[in-house]
Amino acid sequence: MERRKFLKYGCAAAVAMPAASWPWAALAREVESEQDRSELHISIEPVDAEMIDGQIVYMLLFFSEDGKPRPVLRVREGDEIRIEISNNDTAPHGFAIPGIPAATSELIDPGDRREVRFTAPVGGSYLFFDPTKAPLNRILGLHGALIVEPRLGTTPAGSPTPFSRASQTPALQALFDALGTAPRFPGQKWKPGDPAREKIWVFSQTDPTLNARVASGQSVDPASIMSSFLPRYFHINGLSGFDTAVHNGTASEGIEAAEAIMPEGKQGQPTLLRTMNAGLSTHSPHIHGNHVMELSENIANGAIDVRKNILEVDVWRLSPLARKDMLLPFERPPDIPAAKWPPKEEPFPLRYVMHCHTEMSQTAGGGNYPQGLVTHWEMTAPIE
């Protein structure tokens, strides 16, 4: 077993270090081969991670084959998938994907490796994690996103969607057909495969006291975690607070990771938000400036349920292990009258916050979201 890796997450208190040491770009980068995305390799590694306030916290993370942390695995519906998992920790671990029963490994001993083989299910967003000592290893950081691209994702009218034709509902088809054509949604259709039109938000929380107990070798009873869990850091893709959006102070090494979180585009460029909660706390994401459309959620067995009635909301609930796909339409913000659009008083880009309405993630670290679940989205220009 090699010694723990060191990862620097917080850029607000950044110090100079080689660019290769920064994990930013990998936080939302896919693990795939140009020749074959069906053969994937990940490893389990212990790390010392620096949080946004400079505190060093022991964590466990999945790494891609080329050494990048927190990989996003992307496959295509119907493909035969093989994922090999290597355990480079000193304790046994596992691997599972709810909604895909065949994607559960036997226990992986330290220094050993296992593989799972399965047929990629219908298009949608899935979580993978280590179910050993649940929920302990998952909330220590052993979780990630699996994105399944539909083999046939268009509506009968030819509009692209993130869902397989067989699982689309009439309401979903009507919404995606309306994008770029209906008076309410002028602009463009949704564009699959465009990183600017798709954001993956994996929510998690870190209780540094719990992590320190595990790092020191103390035995932790999983049944006791819920009653004592006191998270201090609330993450999107491993980042908190100030680091989750691009701003003037963003370190150059951190821009790519912040861009992977922060929606940005012109009016009429709808963006898919794949939201998942890998942690132990319930979240209530709230977006200013636009309502969002709730397209799907996972049901009891982990499968994906596409909405028969598209819900238009400004807050959505994500309980632990919940997954919901949302559409941010990039409409003209309703607080700006149509007669005054585009606005003369306020220059573009227009910036609107996304924050969590669950109180403890708002007040972490003393309030004002310094370590909380928050980012923002930007409308860069009106339709030209």
Side-chain angles (χ1 to χ4, degrees):
M1 301 298 103
E2 63 180 33
R3 66 183 179 87
R4 295 205 292 262
K5 298 176 182 291
F6 176 77
L7 296 181
K8 189 175 184 66
Y9 280 4
C11 70
V15 296
M17 63 187 302
S21 300
W22 291 73
W24 301 107
L27 289 172
R29 183 170 292 166
E30 303 152 11
V31 180
E32 63 178 66
S33 162
E34 291 181 0
Q35 285 73 38
D36 188 356
R37 295 186 301 173
S38 300
E39 300 283 336
L40 303 171
H41 304 265
I42 58 176
S43 63
I44 294 168
E45 312 272 358
V47 303
D48 287 320
E50 183 173 344
M51 301 288 103
I52 187 172
D53 60 353
Q55 182 171 351
I56 306 300
V57 176
Y58 166 81
M59 300 183 77
L60 291 166
L61 297 179
F62 287 108
F63 280 74
S64 65
E65 190 175 16
D66 58 356
K68 307 297 185 182
R70 297 183 182 273
V72 172
L73 309 182
R74 190 179 292 270
V75 300
R76 189 172 64 163
E77 176 188 355
D79 283 356
E80 296 301 315
I81 309 300
R82 173 179 172 269
I83 303 177
E84 184 180 73
I85 309 104
S86 299
N87 182 7
N88 294 330
D89 189 29
T90 57
H93 290 286
F95 180 88
I97 307 176
I100 312 177
T104 300
S105 76
E106 299 178 12
L107 204 62
I108 312 168
D109 291 327
D112 202 357
R113 62 182 62 188
R114 298 279 186 181
E115 66 178 42
V116 294
R117 294 177 179 266
F118 59 93
T119 301
V122 295
S125 310
Y126 299 81
L127 271 170
F128 63 86
F129 55 84
D130 175 11
T132 311
K133 297 183 178 181
L136 179 61
N137 289 328
R138 187 183 88 236
I139 62 176
L140 289 176
L142 284 178
H143 58 257
L146 171 75
I147 306 303
V148 180
E149 298 170 348
R151 191 167 292 274
L152 176 61
T154 57
T155 68
S159 302
T161 85
F163 302 104
S164 307
R165 176 77 63 84
S167 61
Q168 293 171 11
T169 63
L172 181 115
Q173 292 172 348
L175 172 61
F176 279 83
D177 286 340
L179 297 176
T181 60
R184 179 179 173 181
F185 302 116
Q188 302 175 359
K189 296 290 187 184
W190 177 69
K191 292 185 178 180
D194 182 350
R197 305 278 74 81
E198 174 186 292
K199 302 299 176 182
I200 301 167
W201 291 352
V202 180
F203 300 161
S204 61
Q205 312 91 34
T206 296
D207 176 353
T209 302
L210 172 63
N211 292 39
R213 290 174 59 196
V214 176
S216 67
Q218 294 183 39
S219 177
V220 175
D221 178 7
S224 70
I225 292 175
M226 180 66 77
S227 62
S228 60
F229 189 60
L230 187 61
R232 182 171 173 81
Y233 304 96
F234 296 81
H235 312 291
I236 306 176
N237 300 355
L239 301 182
S240 301
F242 194 67
D243 289 341
T244 61
V246 178
H247 44 76
N248 291 338
T250 303
S252 59
E253 298 88 348
I255 288 177
E256 189 172 352
E259 287 177 339
I261 295 172
M262 187 190 81
E264 180 181 29
K266 296 180 181 179
Q267 177 194 5
Q269 293 184 325
T271 298
L272 177 68
L273 305 176
R274 299 183 183 268
T275 67
M276 316 180 199
N277 186 359
L280 200 56
S281 303
T282 295
H283 282 296
S284 304
H286 168 60
I287 286 184
H288 290 217
N290 268 194
H291 284 172
V292 291
M293 285 69 176
E294 186 173 310
L295 308 178
S296 72
E297 65 177 343
N298 61 301
I299 52 181
N301 63 359
I304 291 174
D305 179 33
V306 179
R307 288 285 190 185
K308 295 181 176 63
N309 180 29
I310 302 298
L311 304 179
E312 184 176 346
V313 301
D314 65 354
V315 178
W316 65 101
R317 183 176 185 270
L318 274 180
S319 55
L321 295 183
R323 317 184 309 269
K324 291 186 178 182
D325 291 327
M326 316 295 292
L327 188 75
L328 177 60
F330 272 75
E331 296 181 79
R332 172 184 58 83
D335 59 335
I336 303 177
K340 295 187 176 181
W341 183 261
K344 304 297 189 296
E345 295 82 5
E346 184 176 358
F348 286 93
L350 304 179
R351 296 186 175 95
Y352 294 93
V353 69
M354 187 290 289
H355 62 115
C356 178
H357 272 196
T358 301
E359 184 175 3
M360 63 181 171
S361 71
Q362 297 183 35
T363 58
N368 200 28
Y369 307 100
Q371 292 150 203
L373 194 73
V374 60
T375 187
H376 73 264
W377 68 280
E378 295 188 358
M379 186 178 290
T380 58
I383 296 174
E384 296 177 350

